[in-house]
Each structure stands twice: as C-alpha cells, then as structure tokens.
C-alpha cells in the first residue's frame, strides 16, 4: 500500500485546480501585459483569480500580490517592513523561534545589516504568549511576524490577539499562514492582519505560486525588479496558469473546509491514540490549538531518519523535521524551541494527512509504525542503555 502522509510538505494538485489552469497553458496563453484582446484574456483571468483569493481571506483584490510561493511572500513582507522602518529609525523586529526558515533566514540577513531581532519563546505547548509579544515591543519595533500555524507540530498561534496588540501600537503585523490557508478560516480584517503569506502547493495548487496579502497603505518594497506587474510591486510575467489554479484550489478548499476537517479529524485522532500506545513516545505541540491534519510525535531511542527510510520501504511517505532541514544531522529547530532535548528531538516523526487520505491508509500506518519503532529499538545501542537503566528515560 502507498500512503502519502506528508501533506505539510506539499499536496497533490486537485482536479479542479488542474482543470482551471489547463486552458491558460494550451489555448489562452497570452501575456497579460499585451494590449491585444488575446493578452487581455489572461489579464482578466488574473483579475478574477485576485478577486477569488481576496474573497477567501476577507481582503480586497488590490491587496493581493501573486508571488512565486510562500518563501518569496515571507521575504517581501519582512524586508518591506524593515526597509520602511529603517527610514523612520526603527530597526527592531519581533518573531518566534519556530518560524519557517523563509522567515528566520530573512531575519538573520537583516540582523547582519544592523537590524535587531527578538525571537520569542513558544513554550512547551508550541504556542507563543501574548504577554511575551507585548513585553518584546519597543519604541523602535517595525514589525511583528508570527506564523499562523507551525509546519512541523501544527500548533496555531493567537493571531487575532497579536494582531490587535500590534494594531493598537501602530506596528505592522505579518503572519506566515502557509499551513493555515485553505485549512482553517482566515479573515484578515477580523484578525487584524497587515500582511499574510500563502503558498498554493500546500492546498492542492501547483508548486511555485503563492500570495502576499498586504493591507491597503502597507508599503511594499520590491524583491524582484523589472516590469510593472503586480502594480509595480513584483516584476516578472505572471504565472497565469499557476495563479488561476491557486485561486481555484483555495476556493475549493475554503468551500469544503468543514467537510474536509470532519473527515481528517477522526483519522488524526486515531493516529494519536494508537501511536501513543508505543512506550516512551510523546505527542509534540498542544492539541488544544492545532491544525486538523498534523501529527508530530517523538519515540525515544531511535533516529527519525532511520524511521523514515523504513517507513518508505513500507510505502509510507512521512517526514522528520522540515524538508528544509532534512539532510542535515541537526535536530529540528522547532522541536528544540518547545524544549525537547536533542536526543529526544532526533526521534521525531511528522505525519500530515489531508482529505485525500483514507482510514485504510491510517490503519496501515498504525500497523507499520509500532513494528518499525520496535525493530529500530532492538538494534539501537541507546535503547539498550535506556532499558538497562544506565541512561535515564527522558520521555
Ligand atoms: C512550505 C512553507 C513555506 C514555504 O513555501 P514555498 O511555497 O514552498 O516557498 C513557508 N512557510 C511555511 C510555514 C511553510 O510550511
């Protein structure tokens, strides 16, 4: 059996998204900047996609900028706030320790340029505290950026409250909503969000297309220079087919959100319930504030990478840490940020399921994971020490 359980890494393209994009590849392939009617057809498709996306998050079409993905949207939001802040002598940014690298590495780059960055703790439950955000705010703070939902442990942050706090103080607030868009309701007005990033391939659109929402009057600085596309804020001929697919996929996901969640939750709960029976295992991140499909657990005495390889042999696609860090031997910065010791964080498994998964697939995972964990422990020198009591159990 083949089971794709890595939907937080990427998703399949939905039929609706594919059907929506094909005409713009095969027939109406004009350049939206061309003045003739054939080009204008593509321009109209872009406008329609902009309206659809805006509607899904409570924004207006003029506040939607299409990008090459979530990473670009994060980069542009953060760099824009920093450049504008610097013009007013404000060079302090606030974020959290467990952001995606698209955010963390952008902040690191700014730090090297002389900006100051405060990375907030996310506590053992994987949720940042409002008091901590409030306590970090300074007169020279030019941006607060906190992710909507974490990509590894699935915890949801108090976005509306952080937004309200920032709004009160006149500080721009950005959220990386890549793991939330299409999976949870988002209303940028009600949630006091000034800038928000999305990525199509996390909700059944193709890879390489994303959205930056920027509230009216929120100044944006170009990351890509060139033509006047996206109202002069993002140069480059638009990825018309990808953008059309993104809009179709987002609309479909938003329209079926309740139904999808109702399908995913019992599968996720069964995974948690059954895999928790494995001795010396631990669920990572509070289940109280959680996206529907993400399951992250640690199993003591094993290496996450070995677990993944053996699961792959059984047809199960899963992950350990984020795709960006796999290949390196460092444990996930997210798991370390919630206070897990290195040796525990090494034995992590992320299963991220979606509406395309079935209960039969969940049963396959539940059958395979305990066996593989038991096998890896049987050959693990660390587990041997844990069992003998010469090394203390940490979970
Ligand atoms: C996937 C992801 C990104 C990056 O999006 P791309 O479109 O792949 O560049 C950024 N942030 C989070 C939270 C993600 O999960």
């Amino acid at each position: 059996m083949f089971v794709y359980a890595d939907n937080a890494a990427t998703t399949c393209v939905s039929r609706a998204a594919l059907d929506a994009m094909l005409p713009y590849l095969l027939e109406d392939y004009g350049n939206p900047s061309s003045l003739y009617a054939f080009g204008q057809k593509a321009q109209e498709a872009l406008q329609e996609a902009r309206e659809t996306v805006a509607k899904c998050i409570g924004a207006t079409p003029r506040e939607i900028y299409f990008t090459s993905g979530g990473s670009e949207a994060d980069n542009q939001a953060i760099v824009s706030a920093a450049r504008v802040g610097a013009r007013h002598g404000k060079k302090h940014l606030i974020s959290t320790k467990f952001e995606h690298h698209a955010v963390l590495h952008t902040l690191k780059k700014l730090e090297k340029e002389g900006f100051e960055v405060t990375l907030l703790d996310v506590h053992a439950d994987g949720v940042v505290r409002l008091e901590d955000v409030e306590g970090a705010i300074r007169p020279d703070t030019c941006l607060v950026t906190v992710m909507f939902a974490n990509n590894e442990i699935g915890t949801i942050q108090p976005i509306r409250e952080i937004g309200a706090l920032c709004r009160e103080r006149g500080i721009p607030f950005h959220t990386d909503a890549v793991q939330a868009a299409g999976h949870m309701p988002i209303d940028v007005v009600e949630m006091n969000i000034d800038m928000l990033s999305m990525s199509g391939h996390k909700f059944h659109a193709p890879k390489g297309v994303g959205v930056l929402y920027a509230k009216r009057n929120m100044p944006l600085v170009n990351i890509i220079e060139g033509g006047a596309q996206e109202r002069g804020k993002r140069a480059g001929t638009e990825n018309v087919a990808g953008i059309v697919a993104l809009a179709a996929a987002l609309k479909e996901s938003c329209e079926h959100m309740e139904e999808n969640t109702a399908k995913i939750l019992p599968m996720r709960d069964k995974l948690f319930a059954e895999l928790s029976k494995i001795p010396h295992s631990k669920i990572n991140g509070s289940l109280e504030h959680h996206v529907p499909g993400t399951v992250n657990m640690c199993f003591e005495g094993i290496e996450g990478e070995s677990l993944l390889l053996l699961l792959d042999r059984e047809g199960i696609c899963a992950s350990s840490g984020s795709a960006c860090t796999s290949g390196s031997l460092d444990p996930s910065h997210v798991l370390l940020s919630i206070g897990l010791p290195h040796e525990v964080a090494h034995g992590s498994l992320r299963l991220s399921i979606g509406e395309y998964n079935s209960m039969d697939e969940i049963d396959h995972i539940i059958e395979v994971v305990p066996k593989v964990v038991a096998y890896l422990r049987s050959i693990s020198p660390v587990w041997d020490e844990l069992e003998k009591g010469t090394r203390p159990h940490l979970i």
Side-chain angles (χ1 to χ4, degrees):
M1 189 186 247
F2 174 75
V3 183
Y4 184 75
D6 204 13
N7 287 276
T10 196
T11 61
C12 66
V13 171
S14 72
R15 176 54 60 180
L18 183 69
D19 287 345
M21 79 189 288
L22 279 178
Y24 295 96
L25 295 168
L26 296 169
E27 295 139 28
D28 301 324
Y29 52 80
N31 186 322
S33 299
S34 300
L35 290 179
Y36 41 77
F38 186 60
Q40 288 311 296
K41 234 173 154 170
Q43 185 59 254
E44 280 160 27
L46 282 183
Q47 185 50 24
E48 204 179 305
R50 210 179 295 286
E51 284 164 19
T52 303
V53 170
K55 216 167 151 190
C56 288
I57 60 165
T60 61
R62 288 184 61 82
E63 297 172 317
I64 301 298
Y65 300 85
F66 292 112
T67 67
S68 67
S71 299
E72 186 189 325
D74 285 341
N75 273 258
Q76 188 167 12
I78 295 166
V79 169
S80 294
R83 299 278 176 258
V84 174
R87 279 180 217 149
H88 300 94
K90 296 183 174 186
K91 298 187 76 174
H92 175 239
L93 303 97
I94 299 172
S95 189
T96 74
K97 286 183 183 164
F98 77 161
E99 297 294 314
H100 190 273
H101 284 133
V103 168
L104 290 178
H105 290 174
T106 303
L107 293 172
K108 183 120 282 163
K109 177 180 85 172
L110 290 169
E111 236 171 6
K112 283 190 192 134
E113 290 177 23
F115 286 84
E116 269 185 82
V117 176
T118 302
L119 293 183
L120 301 171
D121 211 12
V122 287
H123 300 253
D125 58 0
V127 181
V128 70
R129 300 291 185 274
L130 200 59
E131 312 84 89
D132 291 349
V133 180
E134 192 165 16
I137 291 176
R138 308 194 321 207
D140 63 341
T141 302
C142 61
L143 180 74
V144 172
T145 173
V146 174
M147 71 199 314
F148 205 116
N150 183 269
N151 46 309
E152 286 185 42
I153 57 175
T155 49
I156 297 164
Q157 308 306 308
I159 294 304
R160 184 194 318 260
E161 293 77 8
I162 299 172
L165 180 68
C166 293
R167 189 64 53 87
E168 225 171 74
R169 311 288 177 91
I171 301 166
F173 173 50
H174 165 256
T175 183
D176 173 340
V178 172
Q179 291 293 332
H183 303 283
M184 307 179 39
I186 295 177
D187 187 313
V188 291
V189 175
E190 203 192 303
M191 296 176 162
N192 313 299
I193 298 167
D194 295 316
M195 293 186 279
L196 174 146
S197 309
M198 282 192 243
S199 174
H201 74 104
K202 305 288 173 78
F203 53 78
H204 305 292
K207 295 156 190 60
V209 60
V211 171
L212 172 59
Y213 152 80
K215 187 174 151 64
R216 188 179 304 248
N217 300 333
M218 189 55 52
L220 288 184
V221 169
N222 293 48
I223 300 283
I224 313 274
E225 301 290 349
Q229 291 91 351
E230 297 300 293
R231 299 180 298 293
K233 299 301 179 192
R234 203 284 182 181
T237 304
E238 300 87 341
N239 176 2
V240 180
I243 289 167
V244 166
L246 181 147
L250 186 62
K251 181 163 182 270
E252 189 185 33
S253 296
C254 290
E255 283 173 355
H256 297 277
M257 201 177 279
E258 277 183 35
E259 172 191 338
N260 291 343
T261 303
K263 186 181 175 200
I264 296 166
L265 282 181
M267 295 195 277
R268 176 195 87 179
D269 290 343
K270 192 168 183 186
L271 278 175
F272 272 132
E274 294 300 318
L275 299 183
S276 294
K277 291 180 185 163
I278 296 176
H280 301 287
S281 63
K282 180 187 181 304
I283 293 174
N284 298 318
S286 154
L287 291 185
E288 207 179 311
H289 314 276
H290 215 93
V291 285
T294 304
V295 169
N296 192 309
M297 295 185 65
C298 282
F299 305 104
E300 208 178 5
I302 65 166
E303 288 289 335
E305 275 73 21
S306 319
L307 179 58
L308 293 189
L309 291 176
L310 293 181
L311 291 182
D312 185 27
R313 281 211 230 155
E314 301 288 337
I316 298 169
C317 303
S319 120
S320 168
S322 67
C324 325
T325 42
S326 58
S328 83
L329 284 174
D330 293 334
S332 140
H333 70 287
V334 174
L335 297 179
L336 297 181
S337 79
I338 59 170
L340 292 189
H342 275 245
E343 48 272 55
V344 174
H346 267 303
S348 71
L349 173 68
R350 179 187 72 182
L351 297 160
S352 43
I353 54 173
E355 67 273 26
Y356 288 73
N357 289 113
S358 69
M359 206 48 112
D360 281 350
E361 294 176 343
I362 300 306
D363 289 339
H364 181 63
I365 296 173
I366 289 167
E367 195 190 309
V368 170
V369 173
K371 279 191 211 161
V372 172
V373 170
Y375 168 71
L376 287 172
R377 282 176 173 173
S378 74
I379 57 167
S380 154
V382 172
W383 183 252
D384 198 42
E385 289 174 25
L386 289 165
E387 283 297 272
K388 283 192 187 126
T390 51
R391 180 196 278 261
H393 278 289
L394 296 173
I395 55 175

